[in-house]
Amino acid sequence: MSSNDLAILSALDTARTQWYHVTAIVIAGMGFFTDAYDLFCISNVSKLLGRLYYYDPTTGEPGKLPTNVNNMVTGVALVGTFIGQLVFGYLGDKLGRKKVYGITLIMMVVCAFFSGISFGHSAKSVIGCLCFFRFWLGIGIGGDYPLSATIMCEYANKKTRGAFIAAVFAMQGVGIIFACLVSIILSKLFLNGYDAVPFNQEPILSTQPQADFLWRLVLMIGAFPAALTYYWRMKMPETARYTALVQGNSKQAAIDMKKVLDIEIEEEHVKVTQFRDANDYPLLSNEFYKRHGLHLIGTMSSWFLLDIAFYSQSLTQNDMFQAIGLIKPAEEVNAIEQVYENSRAMFVVALIGTFPGYWFTVAFIETLGRFTIQLIGFFMMSVFMLVMALEYDYLVDRNKGLFALFYGLTFFFANFGPNSTTFVLPAELFPTRLRSTCHALSAAAGKAGAMIGAFVVQSYTLDDKNVSKIKHALMVLAFTNMLGFCCTFLLRETKGLSLEEISGEDGGEYERRCKSGEPPNSRWKRYTG
């Protein structure tokens, strides 16, 4: 049965953009705002943790987290995110998007708060407690990925669906900016109240005892944005596509949509049942493999390769800043001043490079298409990283401004590129009953790449004096981006099509029209890729 025969799907695909669409973007987007804040704020305070808990007077240098401890502190949330994506993505298809949507938010609120409370009388106990709560925080964040993408995808009309999903994801950029601003403001306030001499003047007195409250406040503030949206998230109805096509309740789907959208939907129980039965195949089946096997390989591999580069960049910014002289050496500042300098540098890069990239995707995704934007992004990231690797000595020693520009452009093309499109495409390519699970598998592959960035690549960049390791890391990242460029060709363009046309749930009608050579029109235009 064709999706065109179902009034409920036709109504959703052609519904004009309404206030509820904007509300859904804000509700889902605030989850991603919080996700980004919680994941990236740790980079602002990781150096401070080293100075507070791992100072060794015999080294003559400021305290620094040991490599394995640093990797755990910055990477343990990614491990939790990996698990959370798989668990909640699966539950989103089995129990419904709405039923598990609130659970993820509660976990994020509670664990962000307790990350800041992390108690103990020794470095091991404090860091161990911090890692414990950030692991569970990551699980909540992980659940937010497939659920937010799926919900926004299934609410949107086909003309603006890509822009709406990208707008939800773009709130990640806002969260990164906010994390930097919070660290800047708090560290400046603490500096005004508790200034201290630089480390090279008096090592012990350079670390203010009050700094122990600073990192805790930065982490705890991440609980508040998520808490503010909990009520509205619980008021969202289940998506009509899930209610009708998975649960088979066309009547409830019509009622739910009439409450929030200004559209009239007929109850079509018999047609919905036929449509549901025609697409009732499991993930581990030959039918799924024939229809979507290459798509799933494409979404998983491209997200995996992207996140190796993206999280390597994001988690090691502080070390790169010091290597190219954007911030003062740790010996020349006190503990809180180091947080201020690092956060300020990260803010500039995020504001100029990271933030605009997200919104360029929102602006151009429905004109250029997902496929093209992903190819451009991967290619440009690879080019800039390769140039930085090959000309590292010249750029760092004689042209730091140009190095900073190239570094910022890699962030821009990551976000005006695969960091956004790898989130959008898995929400559109797969059938309704498996959409959340397939998005979760793709996102989890991405977090596997992020863990490689956090636990492997980061080890090469922690020592800013070891130039050869940094150059080697940049070359490897340039290569992974080019692999991502190649994997993109396993995907297809989805702009302008309904979800059922993309996934084949329309009974293959769209594919048949394309193969028959029927002249394309506004409804049946060909796709690329």
Coordinates of all heavy atoms in Angstrom, one line a residue, residues 180-265:
C180 N 31.4 27.7 27.5 CA 32.5 28.6 27.6 C 32.2 29.9 28.4 O 33.0 30.3 29.2 CB 33.0 29.0 26.2 SG 33.6 27.6 25.2
L181 N 31.0 30.4 28.1 CA 30.6 31.7 28.8 C 30.5 31.5 30.3 O 31.0 32.3 31.1 CB 29.3 32.2 28.2 CG 29.3 32.9 26.9 CD1 27.9 33.2 26.4 CD2 30.2 34.2 27.0
V182 N 29.9 30.4 30.7 CA 29.8 30.1 32.1 C 31.2 30.0 32.8 O 31.4 30.5 33.9 CB 29.0 28.8 32.4 CG1 29.1 28.3 33.8 CG2 27.5 29.0 32.0
S183 N 32.1 29.3 32.1 CA 33.4 29.1 32.7 C 34.2 30.5 32.7 O 34.9 30.8 33.7 CB 34.2 28.1 31.8 OG 33.6 26.9 31.8
I184 N 34.0 31.3 31.7 CA 34.6 32.6 31.6 C 34.1 33.5 32.8 O 34.9 34.1 33.5 CB 34.4 33.3 30.3 CG1 35.1 32.6 29.2 CG2 34.7 34.8 30.3 CD1 34.8 33.1 27.8
I185 N 32.8 33.6 32.9 CA 32.2 34.5 33.9 C 32.5 34.0 35.3 O 32.9 34.8 36.2 CB 30.6 34.5 33.7 CG1 30.3 35.2 32.4 CG2 30.0 35.2 34.9 CD1 28.8 35.1 32.0
L186 N 32.4 32.7 35.6 CA 32.6 32.2 36.9 C 34.1 32.4 37.3 O 34.5 32.8 38.4 CB 32.2 30.8 37.1 CG 30.7 30.5 37.1 CD1 30.4 29.0 37.2 CD2 30.1 31.2 38.3
S187 N 35.0 32.0 36.4 CA 36.4 32.1 36.7 C 36.8 33.6 36.9 O 37.7 33.9 37.7 CB 37.3 31.5 35.5 OG 37.0 32.1 34.3
K188 N 36.2 34.5 36.1 CA 36.5 35.9 36.3 C 36.0 36.4 37.7 O 36.7 37.2 38.4 CB 35.9 36.7 35.2 CG 36.3 38.2 35.2 CD 37.8 38.3 34.9 CE 38.3 39.8 34.7 NZ 39.7 39.9 34.5
L189 N 34.8 36.0 38.1 CA 34.3 36.3 39.4 C 35.2 35.8 40.5 O 35.5 36.5 41.5 CB 32.9 35.8 39.6 CG 31.8 36.5 38.7 CD1 30.5 35.8 38.8 CD2 31.7 38.0 39.1
F190 N 35.6 34.5 40.3 CA 36.5 33.9 41.4 C 37.9 34.6 41.4 O 38.5 34.8 42.5 CB 36.7 32.4 41.1 CG 35.7 31.5 41.7 CD1 34.4 31.6 41.3 CD2 36.0 30.7 42.7 CE1 33.4 30.8 41.9 CE2 35.1 29.9 43.3 CZ 33.8 29.9 42.9
L191 N 38.4 35.0 40.2 CA 39.6 35.7 40.2 C 39.6 37.1 40.9 O 40.5 37.5 41.6 CB 40.1 36.0 38.7 CG 41.0 35.0 38.0 CD1 41.2 35.4 36.6 CD2 42.3 34.8 38.8
N192 N 38.4 37.8 40.7 CA 38.3 39.1 41.4 C 38.2 38.9 42.9 O 38.7 39.8 43.6 CB 37.0 39.7 40.9 CG 37.1 40.2 39.4 OD1 38.2 40.4 38.9 ND2 35.9 40.4 38.8
G193 N 37.7 37.8 43.3 CA 37.6 37.6 44.8 C 38.8 36.9 45.4 O 39.1 37.0 46.6
Y194 N 39.5 36.0 44.6 CA 40.6 35.2 45.1 C 41.7 35.1 44.1 O 42.1 34.1 43.6 CB 40.1 33.7 45.3 CG 38.7 33.7 46.1 CD1 37.6 33.4 45.4 CD2 38.7 33.9 47.4 CE1 36.4 33.3 46.1 CE2 37.5 33.8 48.1 CZ 36.3 33.6 47.4 OH 35.1 33.5 48.1
D195 N 42.4 36.3 43.9 CA 43.5 36.3 43.0 C 44.7 35.7 43.6 O 44.8 35.5 44.9 CB 43.8 37.8 42.6 CG 44.7 37.9 41.4 OD1 44.9 36.8 40.7 OD2 45.1 39.0 41.0
A196 N 45.7 35.3 42.8 CA 46.9 34.6 43.3 C 48.0 34.8 42.4 O 47.8 35.3 41.2 CB 46.6 33.1 43.5
V197 N 49.2 34.5 42.9 CA 50.4 34.7 42.1 C 50.5 33.6 41.0 O 50.0 32.5 41.2 CB 51.7 34.8 43.0 CG1 51.6 36.0 43.9 CG2 51.8 33.5 43.7
P198 N 51.3 33.8 39.9 CA 51.5 32.8 39.0 C 52.3 31.6 39.6 O 53.0 31.8 40.6 CB 52.3 33.5 37.9 CG 52.0 34.9 38.0 CD 51.8 35.1 39.5
F199 N 52.3 30.5 38.9 CA 53.0 29.3 39.4 C 54.5 29.5 39.5 O 55.1 29.1 40.5 CB 52.7 28.1 38.5 CG 53.4 26.8 38.9 CD1 52.8 26.0 39.9 CD2 54.6 26.5 38.4 CE1 53.4 24.8 40.2 CE2 55.3 25.3 38.8 CZ 54.7 24.5 39.7
N200 N 55.1 30.2 38.5 CA 56.5 30.4 38.5 C 57.0 31.3 39.6 O 58.2 31.4 39.8 CB 57.0 30.8 37.2 CG 56.3 32.1 36.7 OD1 55.7 32.8 37.5 ND2 56.5 32.3 35.4
Q201 N 56.1 32.0 40.3 CA 56.5 32.8 41.4 C 56.4 32.1 42.8 O 57.3 32.2 43.6 CB 55.7 34.1 41.5 CG 56.0 35.1 40.3 CD 55.2 36.4 40.5 OE1 54.8 36.8 41.6 NE2 55.0 37.1 39.3
E202 N 55.3 31.4 42.9 CA 55.1 30.6 44.2 C 54.1 29.5 43.9 O 52.9 29.6 43.9 CB 54.5 31.6 45.2 CG 54.3 30.9 46.6 CD 55.6 30.3 47.1 OE1 56.5 31.0 47.3 OE2 55.6 29.1 47.3
P203 N 54.6 28.3 43.6 CA 53.8 27.1 43.2 C 52.6 26.8 44.1 O 51.5 26.6 43.6 CB 54.8 26.0 43.2 CG 56.2 26.6 42.9 CD 56.1 27.9 43.7
I204 N 52.9 26.8 45.4 CA 51.8 26.4 46.3 C 50.7 27.4 46.3 O 49.5 27.1 46.2 CB 52.3 26.2 47.7 CG1 53.4 25.1 47.8 CG2 51.2 25.8 48.7 CD1 52.8 23.7 47.4
L205 N 51.0 28.7 46.4 CA 50.0 29.7 46.5 C 49.4 30.1 45.2 O 48.4 30.8 45.1 CB 50.7 31.0 47.0 CG 51.3 30.9 48.5 CD1 51.9 32.2 48.9 CD2 50.2 30.5 49.5
S206 N 49.8 29.5 44.1 CA 49.2 29.8 42.8 C 47.9 29.0 42.5 O 47.2 29.3 41.6 CB 50.2 29.4 41.6 OG 50.4 28.0 41.5
T207 N 47.6 28.0 43.4 CA 46.4 27.3 43.3 C 45.5 27.7 44.5 O 45.7 27.3 45.6 CB 46.7 25.8 43.3 OG1 47.5 25.4 42.2 CG2 45.3 25.0 43.2
Q208 N 44.5 28.5 44.2 CA 43.6 28.9 45.2 C 42.7 27.8 45.7 O 42.1 27.0 44.9 CB 42.6 30.0 44.6 CG 43.4 31.2 44.0 CD 43.6 31.1 42.6 OE1 43.9 30.0 42.1 NE2 43.5 32.2 41.9
P209 N 42.5 27.6 47.0 CA 41.7 26.6 47.6 C 40.2 26.7 47.0 O 39.5 25.7 46.9 CB 41.7 26.8 49.1 CG 43.0 27.6 49.3 CD 43.2 28.4 48.1
Q210 N 39.8 28.0 46.8 CA 38.4 28.2 46.3 C 38.2 27.7 44.9 O 37.0 27.5 44.5 CB 38.1 29.7 46.4 CG 38.1 30.3 47.7 CD 39.5 30.7 48.2 OE1 40.5 30.5 47.5 NE2 39.6 31.2 49.4
A211 N 39.3 27.4 44.2 CA 39.1 26.8 42.9 C 38.4 25.5 42.9 O 37.8 25.0 41.9 CB 40.5 26.6 42.2
D212 N 38.4 24.8 44.0 CA 37.7 23.5 44.1 C 36.2 23.7 44.0 O 35.5 22.8 43.5 CB 38.0 22.9 45.5 CG 37.5 21.4 45.5 OD1 37.9 20.7 44.6 OD2 36.8 21.1 46.4
F213 N 35.7 24.9 44.3 CA 34.3 25.2 44.1 C 34.0 25.6 42.7 O 32.8 25.4 42.2 CB 33.8 26.3 45.0 CG 33.8 26.0 46.5 CD1 34.9 26.4 47.3 CD2 32.8 25.2 47.1 CE1 34.9 26.1 48.6 CE2 32.9 24.9 48.4 CZ 33.9 25.3 49.2
L214 N 34.9 26.1 42.0 CA 34.7 26.6 40.6 C 34.4 25.5 39.7 O 33.4 25.6 39.0 CB 36.0 27.3 40.1 CG 36.0 27.8 38.6 CD1 34.8 28.7 38.4 CD2 37.3 28.4 38.3
W215 N 35.2 24.4 39.6 CA 34.9 23.3 38.7 C 33.5 22.7 39.0 O 32.8 22.2 38.1 CB 36.0 22.3 38.6 CG 36.2 21.4 39.8 CD1 37.1 21.7 40.9 CD2 35.6 20.2 40.1 NE1 37.0 20.6 41.8 CE2 36.1 19.7 41.3 CE3 34.7 19.4 39.4 CZ2 35.7 18.5 41.9 CZ3 34.3 18.2 39.9 CH2 34.8 17.7 41.2
R216 N 33.2 22.6 40.3 CA 32.0 22.0 40.7 C 30.8 22.8 40.2 O 29.8 22.2 39.7 CB 31.9 21.8 42.2 CG 33.0 20.9 42.8 CD 33.0 20.9 44.3 NE 34.1 20.1 44.8 CZ 34.1 18.7 45.0 NH1 33.0 18.1 44.7 NH2 35.1 18.1 45.5
L217 N 30.9 24.1 40.4 CA 29.8 25.0 39.9 C 29.6 24.9 38.4 O 28.5 24.8 37.9 CB 30.0 26.4 40.2 CG 29.8 26.8 41.7 CD1 30.2 28.3 41.9 CD2 28.3 26.7 42.0
V218 N 30.7 24.8 37.6 CA 30.6 24.7 36.2 C 29.9 23.4 35.8 O 29.0 23.5 34.9 CB 32.0 24.7 35.6 CG1 32.0 24.3 34.1 CG2 32.7 26.1 35.7
L219 N 30.2 22.3 36.4 CA 29.5 21.1 36.1 C 28.0 21.0 36.5 O 27.2 20.6 35.8 CB 30.2 19.9 36.7 CG 31.7 19.7 36.3 CD1 32.2 18.4 36.9 CD2 31.8 19.6 34.8
M220 N 27.7 21.6 37.7 CA 26.4 21.5 38.3 C 25.4 22.4 37.5 O 24.2 22.0 37.4 CB 26.4 22.0 39.7 CG 27.1 21.0 40.6 SD 27.3 21.6 42.3 CE 25.6 21.6 42.9
I221 N 25.9 23.5 36.9 CA 25.0 24.4 36.2 C 24.3 23.6 35.0 O 23.2 24.0 34.5 CB 25.7 25.6 35.7 CG1 25.9 26.6 36.9 CG2 25.0 26.4 34.6 CD1 26.8 27.8 36.7
G222 N 25.0 22.6 34.5 CA 24.4 21.8 33.4 C 23.1 21.2 33.7 O 22.4 20.8 32.8
A223 N 22.7 21.1 35.0 CA 21.5 20.4 35.4 C 20.3 21.3 35.1 O 19.2 20.8 34.9 CB 21.5 20.0 36.9
F224 N 20.5 22.6 35.1 CA 19.3 23.5 35.1 C 18.6 23.7 33.8 O 17.4 23.6 33.8 CB 19.7 24.9 35.7 CG 20.1 24.9 37.1 CD1 21.5 24.9 37.5 CD2 19.2 24.8 38.1 CE1 21.8 24.8 38.8 CE2 19.5 24.8 39.4 CZ 20.8 24.8 39.8
P225 N 19.3 23.8 32.6 CA 18.5 23.9 31.4 C 17.6 22.7 31.1 O 16.5 22.8 30.6 CB 19.6 24.0 30.3 CG 20.9 24.4 31.0 CD 20.7 23.9 32.4
A226 N 18.2 21.5 31.4 CA 17.4 20.3 31.2 C 16.1 20.2 32.2 O 15.0 19.9 31.7 CB 18.2 19.0 31.5
A227 N 16.3 20.7 33.4 CA 15.2 20.7 34.4 C 14.1 21.6 33.9 O 12.9 21.3 34.1 CB 15.7 21.0 35.7
L228 N 14.5 22.7 33.3 CA 13.5 23.7 32.9 C 12.5 23.2 31.8 O 11.4 23.7 31.6 CB 14.2 25.0 32.4 CG 14.9 25.8 33.4 CD1 15.7 26.9 32.8 CD2 13.9 26.4 34.5
T229 N 13.0 22.2 31.0 CA 12.2 21.7 29.9 C 11.4 20.4 30.2 O 10.7 19.9 29.3 CB 13.0 21.5 28.6 OG1 14.1 20.6 28.9 CG2 13.6 22.8 28.2
Y230 N 11.6 19.9 31.4 CA 11.0 18.6 31.7 C 9.5 18.6 31.6 O 8.9 17.7 31.0 CB 11.4 18.1 33.1 CG 10.8 16.8 33.5 CD1 11.3 15.6 33.0 CD2 9.7 16.7 34.3 CE1 10.7 14.4 33.3 CE2 9.1 15.5 34.6 CZ 9.6 14.4 34.2 OH 9.1 13.2 34.5
Y231 N 8.8 19.6 32.1 CA 7.4 19.7 32.0 C 6.9 19.7 30.6 O 5.9 18.9 30.3 CB 6.9 21.0 32.8 CG 5.4 21.3 32.6 CD1 4.5 20.5 33.3 CD2 5.0 22.2 31.7 CE1 3.1 20.8 33.1 CE2 3.6 22.5 31.5 CZ 2.7 21.8 32.3 OH 1.4 22.0 32.1
W232 N 7.5 20.5 29.7 CA 7.0 20.6 28.4 C 7.3 19.3 27.6 O 6.6 18.9 26.7 CB 7.7 21.8 27.7 CG 7.3 23.1 28.3 CD1 8.1 23.8 29.2 CD2 6.0 23.7 28.3 NE1 7.4 24.9 29.6 CE2 6.1 24.8 29.1 CE3 4.8 23.4 27.7 CZ2 5.1 25.7 29.3 CZ3 3.7 24.2 27.9 CH2 3.9 25.4 28.7
R233 N 8.4 18.7 27.9 CA 8.7 17.4 27.3 C 7.7 16.3 27.6 O 7.3 15.5 26.7 CB 10.1 16.9 27.7 CG 10.6 15.7 26.9 CD 12.1 15.3 27.2 NE 13.0 16.2 26.5 CZ 14.3 15.9 26.2 NH1 14.7 14.7 26.6 NH2 15.1 16.7 25.6
M234 N 7.2 16.3 28.8 CA 6.2 15.3 29.2 C 4.8 15.6 28.6 O 4.0 14.7 28.5 CB 6.1 15.3 30.8 CG 7.3 14.7 31.4 SD 7.6 13.0 30.9 CE 8.7 13.2 29.5
K235 N 4.6 16.9 28.2 CA 3.3 17.2 27.6 C 3.3 16.9 26.1 O 2.2 16.9 25.5 CB 3.0 18.7 27.8 CG 2.6 19.1 29.2 CD 2.1 20.5 29.3 CE 0.7 20.6 28.6 NZ 0.1 22.0 28.7
M236 N 4.4 16.6 25.5 CA 4.4 16.3 24.1 C 3.7 15.0 23.8 O 3.9 14.0 24.5 CB 5.9 16.2 23.6 CG 6.7 17.4 23.6 SD 8.4 17.2 23.0 CE 8.1 17.0 21.2
P237 N 2.8 14.9 22.9 CA 2.2 13.6 22.6 C 3.1 12.7 21.8 O 4.1 13.2 21.2 CB 1.0 14.0 21.7 CG 1.4 15.3 21.0 CD 2.3 16.0 22.0
E238 N 2.8 11.4 21.8 CA 3.6 10.5 21.0 C 3.4 10.9 19.5 O 2.4 11.5 19.1 CB 3.0 9.1 21.2 CG 3.8 8.0 20.4 CD 5.2 7.9 20.8 OE1 5.6 7.3 21.8 OE2 6.0 8.6 20.0
T239 N 4.4 10.6 18.7 CA 4.4 11.0 17.3 C 3.3 10.2 16.6 O 3.1 9.0 16.9 CB 5.7 10.8 16.6 OG1 6.0 9.4 16.5 CG2 6.8 11.5 17.3
A240 N 2.6 10.8 15.7 CA 1.5 10.1 15.0 C 2.0 8.9 14.2 O 1.3 7.9 14.0 CB 0.8 11.1 14.0
R241 N 3.2 9.0 13.6 CA 3.7 7.9 12.8 C 3.9 6.7 13.7 O 3.6 5.6 13.3 CB 5.0 8.3 12.1 CG 4.8 9.1 10.8 CD 6.1 9.4 10.1 NE 5.9 9.7 8.7 CZ 5.7 11.0 8.3 NH1 5.7 12.0 9.2 NH2 5.5 11.2 7.0
Y242 N 4.4 6.9 14.9 CA 4.6 5.7 15.8 C 3.3 5.2 16.2 O 3.1 4.0 16.2 CB 5.5 6.1 17.0 CG 5.8 4.9 17.9 CD1 6.9 4.1 17.6 CD2 5.0 4.6 19.0 CE1 7.2 3.0 18.4 CE2 5.3 3.5 19.7 CZ 6.4 2.7 19.4 OH 6.6 1.6 20.2
T243 N 2.4 6.0 16.7 CA 1.1 5.6 17.2 C 0.3 4.8 16.1 O -0.3 3.8 16.4 CB 0.3 6.8 17.6 OG1 1.0 7.5 18.6 CG2 -1.1 6.3 18.2
A244 N 0.4 5.3 14.9 CA -0.4 4.7 13.8 C 0.3 3.5 13.2 O -0.2 2.4 13.1 CB -0.7 5.7 12.7
L245 N 1.6 3.7 12.8 CA 2.3 2.7 12.0 C 2.9 1.6 12.8 O 3.2 0.5 12.3 CB 3.3 3.3 11.1 CG 2.8 4.5 10.2 CD1 3.9 5.0 9.3 CD2 1.6 4.0 9.3
V246 N 3.2 1.8 14.1 CA 3.8 0.8 14.9 C 2.8 0.2 15.9 O 2.6 -1.0 16.0 CB 5.0 1.4 15.7 CG1 5.7 0.3 16.6 CG2 6.1 1.9 14.7
Q247 N 2.1 1.1 16.6 CA 1.1 0.6 17.5 C -0.3 0.3 16.8 O -1.1 -0.4 17.4 CB 0.8 1.7 18.6 CG 2.0 1.9 19.5 CD 1.7 3.0 20.5 OE1 0.9 3.9 20.4 NE2 2.4 2.8 21.7
G248 N -0.4 0.8 15.6 CA -1.7 0.4 14.9 C -2.9 1.2 15.3 O -4.0 0.8 15.0
N249 N -2.7 2.3 16.1 CA -3.9 3.0 16.7 C -4.1 4.3 15.9 O -3.6 5.4 16.3 CB -3.6 3.3 18.1 CG -4.9 3.8 18.9 OD1 -5.8 4.3 18.2 ND2 -4.9 3.7 20.2
S250 N -4.7 4.2 14.8 CA -4.9 5.4 13.9 C -5.8 6.5 14.6 O -5.7 7.7 14.4 CB -5.5 5.0 12.5 OG -6.7 4.4 12.7
K251 N -6.8 6.0 15.4 CA -7.7 6.9 16.0 C -6.9 7.8 17.0 O -7.1 9.0 17.0 CB -8.8 6.1 16.8 CG -9.8 7.0 17.5 CD -10.8 6.2 18.2 CE -11.9 7.0 18.9 NZ -12.9 6.2 19.6
Q252 N -6.1 7.2 17.8 CA -5.3 8.0 18.8 C -4.3 8.9 18.1 O -4.1 10.0 18.6 CB -4.5 7.0 19.8 CG -3.8 7.8 20.9 CD -4.8 8.5 21.8 OE1 -5.8 8.0 22.2 NE2 -4.5 9.8 22.1
A253 N -3.8 8.5 17.0 CA -2.8 9.3 16.3 C -3.5 10.6 15.8 O -3.0 11.7 15.8 CB -2.2 8.5 15.1
A254 N -4.8 10.4 15.2 CA -5.5 11.5 14.8 C -5.9 12.5 15.9 O -5.8 13.7 15.7 CB -6.8 11.0 14.1
I255 N -6.2 11.9 17.0 CA -6.6 12.8 18.2 C -5.4 13.6 18.7 O -5.5 14.8 18.9 CB -7.1 11.9 19.3 CG1 -8.5 11.3 19.0 CG2 -7.3 12.7 20.6 CD1 -9.0 10.3 20.0
D256 N -4.2 12.9 18.8 CA -3.0 13.6 19.2 C -2.6 14.7 18.3 O -2.2 15.8 18.8 CB -1.9 12.6 19.4 CG -2.0 11.6 20.5 OD1 -2.9 11.9 21.4 OD2 -1.4 10.5 20.5
M257 N -2.7 14.5 17.0 CA -2.2 15.5 16.1 C -3.2 16.7 16.0 O -2.7 17.8 15.8 CB -2.0 14.9 14.7 CG -0.8 14.0 14.6 SD 0.8 14.8 15.1 CE 1.0 14.3 16.8
K258 N -4.5 16.4 16.2 CA -5.4 17.5 16.2 C -5.2 18.5 17.4 O -5.5 19.7 17.4 CB -6.8 17.0 16.3 CG -7.3 16.4 14.9 CD -8.7 15.8 15.0 CE -9.1 15.2 13.7 NZ -10.5 14.6 13.8
K259 N -4.6 17.9 18.5 CA -4.4 18.7 19.7 C -3.3 19.7 19.5 O -3.3 20.8 20.1 CB -4.0 17.8 20.9 CG -5.2 17.0 21.4 CD -4.7 16.1 22.6 CE -5.8 15.3 23.2 NZ -5.3 14.4 24.2
V260 N -2.3 19.4 18.7 CA -1.1 20.2 18.6 C -0.9 20.9 17.2 O -0.2 21.9 17.1 CB 0.2 19.4 19.0 CG1 0.1 18.9 20.4 CG2 0.3 18.2 18.0
L261 N -1.5 20.3 16.2 CA -1.3 20.9 14.8 C -2.7 21.2 14.2 O -3.7 20.5 14.5 CB -0.6 19.9 13.9 CG 0.8 19.5 14.2 CD1 1.3 18.4 13.3 CD2 1.7 20.7 14.2
D262 N -2.7 22.3 13.5 CA -4.0 22.7 12.9 C -4.2 22.0 11.6 O -4.1 22.5 10.5 CB -3.9 24.3 12.6 CG -5.2 24.8 12.1 OD1 -6.3 24.1 12.3 OD2 -5.2 25.9 11.5
I263 N -4.5 20.7 11.7 CA -4.8 19.8 10.6 C -5.9 18.9 10.9 O -6.1 18.5 12.1 CB -3.5 19.0 10.1 CG1 -3.0 18.2 11.3 CG2 -2.5 19.9 9.5 CD1 -1.8 17.3 10.9
E264 N -6.7 18.5 9.9 CA -7.7 17.5 10.1 C -7.3 16.2 9.6 O -6.8 16.1 8.4 CB -9.0 18.0 9.3 CG -9.7 19.2 10.0 CD -10.3 18.9 11.3 OE1 -10.7 17.7 11.5 OE2 -10.2 19.7 12.2
I265 N -7.4 15.2 10.4 CA -6.9 13.8 10.0 C -8.0 12.8 10.2 O -8.7 12.8 11.3 CB -5.7 13.4 10.9 CG1 -4.5 14.4 10.7 CG2 -5.2 12.0 10.6 CD1 -3.3 14.1 11.6

